[in-house]
Amino acid sequence: MRARIPLLFCIANAFAAPAAAHDSRPLFIEITERDGGLVDLKSTAPNAIDRENAPVVELGAPCVERGRNADNPHRLRASYTCSLDDAKITIEWPAFNPSISTMVRVIYASAETRTVILDPSQTEWRVPAPENLAGVSTGYFRIGVEHIVGGIDHLLFLAGLLILSGTLRRTLATVTGFTLAHSLTLALVALGVVRVSVPATEAVIALSIVFLATEIARGDRTTLAWRRPVLVASAFGLVHGAGFAAALGEIGLPRTETAAALLFFNLGVEAGQIAIIAGVFATLFTSRRLFERRTTMAVGAQRVAGYGLGTVSAYWFVERLSALFAGA
C-alpha cells in the first residue's frame, strides 16, 4: 500500500478532463485518385465536434468539384476532376478550431499510399508525390500514441491495474498480459476476422473499470483480482483491444501497407502505455519516503481512488448502456 497516494493525483487529473473517451480522435481525410483524372474525397470528423462546427474540407486548384454529399456534416463525400499533383487541401472550421490533429491518407492511382499527420494549426496542405510505407508507419504510430494518451477510459483502467499490481515485477507481468490480449483482438477486429458491437464494447470497457474500482475500494487482498491481476488484465484486455479496433475503424486501414499500419498503431499504443507507467513509477519512487510510514493515509487514499474510479466509470457504463439500447 505504500507510496500509492500519487496515483490518486494522477486519477484526479484524469477526472478533470471531460467525461468522454476517445475525444483525441483526429479529423480523418481520405483522397483516392482514380483512372481518368477522377478524385474522390472523404472526410470523417470526430462525433465530439458540434454539427454546427463540422469542418468543411475541399480540394483547391487545379481540382474542379463535380459533386458533394454533406447530409451528415461529420461524414463528407465529394468528387473532383483533376490530377493530384500539387493539389491543395483546405480545412475550414465554421465557428472555431477545436485544436485536433488531422490525419490525411492519399491513395494514388498506382495503389501507393501516403499518410501524414497535420498539426491543429495546419488548415492547408499540398498533396505530394507518391511515397513508400514510411509515411504510413509514422502516421499510424502517432495515432496509436495519441489514442492511448487521450483515451481517458483506457488510462483509468491502466491506473486501476497499477494499484492492484503494486510492485514493478507484478506490474510488468500484468501489463504484458493486457498487451498480448488487446493486441490479439485489435488485429482480429481490425482485419474483419471478428465482428463486435461498438456500443456494447464501450459499455463493457466502462464496466471493467467499475470492477477494478470495486476491488480497490474494498481492499480485500485475498480476492483473485488482487492475487492475480494479470488474469483480470488479460480477460478485460480482449475487450479493450476491440475498443482500440473501433477507433482504428473510424480512421480506416490503407489498402496497401495494411500490416504496417496495424503494427505501428499497436506499437504506438504500447509506447504510450510504457510512457505512462514509467511516469507513474517515477512519481512513486520519488515520493516513497514521504508516505511509507503513513499507512492510514495510504489506505484512505486507496479507498478515495477506488470510489473516484467507480463514480466516473459507473456514469460511463449507464450512459453507454443507454446508447446501446437506444440504438438497438
Side-chain angles (χ1 to χ4, degrees):
M1 265 187 229
R2 297 184 303 176
R4 289 186 186 151
I5 292 179
L7 277 177
L8 177 62
F9 297 100
C10 296
I11 295 171
N13 288 334
F15 291 166
H22 311 310
D23 287 343
S24 63
R25 293 175 183 174
L27 167 65
F28 175 64
I29 301 174
E30 181 179 82
I31 302 171
T32 304
E33 183 181 36
R34 305 192 183 281
D35 296 332
L38 301 179
V39 174
D40 294 334
L41 181 146
K42 178 175 67 175
S43 70
T44 303
N47 292 328
I49 296 176
D50 293 335
R51 292 174 63 90
E52 294 76 13
N53 194 39
V56 178
V57 181
E58 297 179 326
L59 276 178
C63 296
V64 177
E65 186 173 307
R66 300 170 58 244
R68 177 175 291 256
N69 181 359
D71 295 336
N72 181 350
H74 289 90
R75 306 287 187 271
L76 169 68
R77 293 180 180 273
S79 58
Y80 294 84
T81 301
C82 65
S83 169
L84 277 183
D85 187 19
D86 207 32
K88 182 173 70 173
I89 300 172
T90 60
I91 305 167
E92 179 181 351
W93 298 95
F96 64 94
N97 188 330
S99 297
I100 64 171
S101 301
T102 299
M103 181 175 186
V104 182
R105 184 170 74 225
V106 183
I107 304 173
Y108 298 91
S110 62
E112 292 183 76
T113 302
R114 173 83 181 262
T115 303
V116 297
I117 304 293
L118 307 181
D119 292 332
S121 60
Q122 291 183 263
T123 57
E124 294 184 353
W125 183 71
R126 290 196 175 275
V127 180
E131 191 186 49
N132 56 25
L133 59 80
V136 172
S137 302
T138 302
Y140 278 84
F141 181 85
R142 179 174 174 180
I143 288 295
V145 173
E146 291 180 350
H147 178 71
I148 189 64
V149 172
I152 304 301
D153 49 359
H154 296 303
L155 290 182
L156 292 184
F157 182 79
L158 192 60
L161 289 179
L162 291 178
I163 294 176
L164 290 180
S165 301
T167 65
L168 178 60
R169 181 177 180 180
R170 278 164 52 94
T171 296
L172 291 177
T174 300
V175 173
T176 299
F178 179 65
T179 297
L180 294 177
H182 79 62
S183 297
L184 175 62
T185 48
L186 169 60
L188 292 177
V189 176
L191 295 175
V193 178
V194 175
R195 293 188 177 183
V196 298
S197 167
V198 175
T201 299
E202 297 291 347
V204 176
I205 288 175
L207 188 61
S208 70
I209 308 172
V210 173
F211 173 80
L212 290 185
T214 302
E215 292 293 325
I216 293 170
R218 289 174 57 197
D220 183 2
R221 294 175 175 272
T222 63
T223 64
L224 182 64
W226 280 99
R227 290 185 292 108
R228 296 289 186 270
V230 63
L231 298 180
V232 175
S234 299
F236 284 120
L238 296 172
V239 182
H240 282 253
F244 293 148
L248 186 58
E250 289 192 357
I251 299 171
L253 289 170
R255 296 178 183 177
T256 59
E257 300 98 17
T258 300
L262 185 58
L263 172 63
F264 279 90
F265 176 84
N266 198 42
L267 289 177
V269 170
E270 300 315 315
Q273 285 185 171
I274 292 172
I276 293 167
I277 293 170
V280 170
F281 267 95
T283 303
L284 294 177
F285 179 79
T286 56
S287 58
R288 181 176 296 276
R289 290 187 178 181
L290 177 63
F291 295 107
E292 61 184 357
R293 296 181 181 179
R294 302 185 182 182
T295 305
T296 303
M297 183 181 294
V299 171
Q302 177 181 299
R303 288 181 177 174
V304 171
Y307 285 121
L309 278 173
T311 301
V312 174
S313 56
Y315 170 78
W316 281 341
F317 177 67
V318 173
E319 181 183 51
R320 295 174 183 184
L321 198 63
S322 300
L324 174 62
F325 285 112

